[in-house]
Amino acid sequence: MTLTFEDLSPRMGAQVTIGKDELVGGTRAREIRALLDRRGVLLFRGLAPDDRELRAIARTLGDLRIGGAKRGADGKTLTEGDEGLMKISLDPDVNPEYARFLIGNHLWHMDGTYEEIPPLATLFTPYRLSKIGGDTMFANTYAAFEDLEPAERARLEKLRVVHTMQAALFPAKRDGTPEEFAVWHSYPQRSHPLVWRHRSGRKSLVLSTSGAYVEGMHPAESHDLLQRLMAHATQDKYTYRHKWKLGDLVIWDNTGAMHRVLPFDKESGREFHRCTLNGEEPVTGVAPEREPAMA
Ligand SMILES: [Fe+2]
């Protein structure tokens, strides 16, 4: 029996029908991974996994991220919560370490662009929703790349982009203090190819608000290129907007999609539980073409 699913939008997302026991048991894990690769976002409605089940589902699909390694100038280590389960909330009482960084979630981004091997996927389930706002949007960066003209694809494949925490957070907090800038600036920077050639052979744009500049390009030209690509990749035809219901489980592919949360009431107590799967391959660019051998 094949997995039953329905597309959520033409280029992005699938709603999967499966029993919770089957999902937790991992008997369809291989099919789910293949569908995740193909559709970018998978929605399971009415499952309401508890923390133990969420970790178990994550482990059937990949390598559950445990612990954290990021350290800021203020000496704070950001951990991945309780045995791989993180509570995502703007309330510092719920998540004292991460709350101040979550402002960046409102802008289009990929997670972990500061890492050599960005996370593979995220599992996300709501515990408390805001009354207004708070939908999550996803954009398919495979499709956005595939639709570019061949000459532009070839040009972009030669470029690398430096990702920084200050690029990710400054647009979300334009009145950042010098102290906040110092903390943002203390996080590692990472250069990635602009186009990811995946092990599967497929290619996607590595776009994120964290993308500060294109290496070796004039800053103005770099700014315009990244802005233009971001506008291209987030057109309606590449996106899926998810309106959350309690009980939902959403899994997204962090390597071929961007995501963002739409504004919501900060005092609403909106809270999600999240598991992250470690990445399985570095962002690999396309090998430069060899000069033809001299006759
Ligand atoms: Fe994120």
Side-chain angles (χ1 to χ4, degrees):
M1 202 176 77
T2 54
L3 211 61
T4 309
F5 68 92
E6 265 178 54
D7 290 350
L8 291 165
S9 74
R11 310 284 293 269
M12 188 74 175
Q15 180 171 346
V16 182
T17 305
I18 187 172
K20 188 153 78 174
D21 289 348
E22 210 174 6
L23 192 59
V24 172
T27 50
R28 314 304 290 270
R30 192 190 295 252
E31 290 161 88
I32 291 168
R33 277 286 301 257
L35 190 62
L36 181 63
D37 189 54
R38 212 160 81 234
R39 299 298 306 168
V41 176
L42 302 183
L43 165 64
F44 306 81
R45 281 227 133 115
L47 285 189
D50 63 23
D51 292 349
R52 187 187 58 79
E53 290 164 339
L54 194 63
R55 290 191 194 93
I57 295 165
R59 288 197 168 100
T60 70
L61 298 172
D63 180 24
L64 175 61
R65 175 167 292 199
I66 307 276
K70 295 175 196 163
R71 183 178 287 277
D74 55 0
K76 288 194 176 166
T77 300
L78 303 181
T79 63
E80 287 291 329
D82 175 19
E83 288 182 42
L85 190 126
M86 170 111 66
K87 293 177 182 172
I88 301 294
S89 167
L90 287 177
D91 184 347
D93 291 336
V94 174
N95 190 335
E97 293 167 336
Y98 258 103
R100 65 201 170 131
F101 291 98
L102 294 176
I103 52 170
N105 289 356
H106 289 292
L107 296 154
W108 284 110
H109 68 284
M110 288 171 61
D111 291 337
T113 48
Y114 320 101
E115 301 170 35
E116 183 185 2
I117 302 182
L120 172 73
T122 299
L123 294 85
F124 215 43
T125 189
Y127 269 66
R128 191 172 305 139
L129 292 169
S130 54
K131 283 205 172 62
I132 299 168
D135 295 357
T136 301
M137 294 197 67
F138 301 94
N140 184 336
T141 51
Y142 282 114
F145 179 71
E146 285 157 11
D147 284 0
L148 293 170
E149 293 295 324
E152 175 151 46
R153 290 205 301 264
R155 183 171 80 92
L156 298 182
E157 283 179 353
K158 298 189 180 76
L159 302 179
R160 296 184 67 89
V161 174
V162 175
H163 294 261
T164 72
M165 186 68 91
Q166 62 266 36
L169 295 188
F170 179 51
K173 197 168 191 309
R174 292 289 184 182
D175 59 349
T177 63
E179 292 74 24
E180 284 171 321
F181 268 94
V183 171
W184 301 344
H185 195 72
S186 71
Y187 279 81
Q189 305 194 351
R190 178 74 61 179
S191 166
H192 289 300
L194 176 54
V195 178
W196 189 334
R197 184 186 52 176
H198 298 254
R199 281 192 309 217
S200 63
R202 297 172 70 207
K203 294 174 186 170
S204 63
L205 287 168
V206 183
L207 279 182
S208 177
T209 303
S210 64
Y213 60 91
V214 179
E215 285 183 3
M217 189 176 274
H218 187 282
E221 201 187 333
S222 159
H223 173 80
D224 289 355
L225 175 63
L226 294 177
Q227 294 276 100
R228 181 168 64 75
L229 288 176
M230 185 62 89
H232 164 71
T234 56
Q235 293 175 82
D236 286 351
K237 61 183 172 182
Y238 302 126
T239 65
Y240 165 63
R241 175 175 176 164
H242 184 60
K243 196 156 191 52
W244 293 97
K245 288 184 186 167
L246 290 174
D248 285 353
L249 166 65
V250 164
I251 306 175
W252 74 84
D253 170 11
N254 184 59
T255 72
M258 287 187 286
H259 58 282
R260 76 185 303 182
V261 60
L262 297 180
F264 59 90
D265 175 10
K266 269 168 47 176
E267 308 303 320
S268 64
R270 184 182 189 272
E271 181 181 331
F272 281 67
H273 288 196
R274 176 180 99 175
C275 285
T276 300
L277 298 181
N278 282 319
E280 298 176 355
E281 56 175 314
V283 181
T284 310
V286 174
E289 282 169 32
R290 290 231 185 106
E291 294 293 324
M294 298 291 281

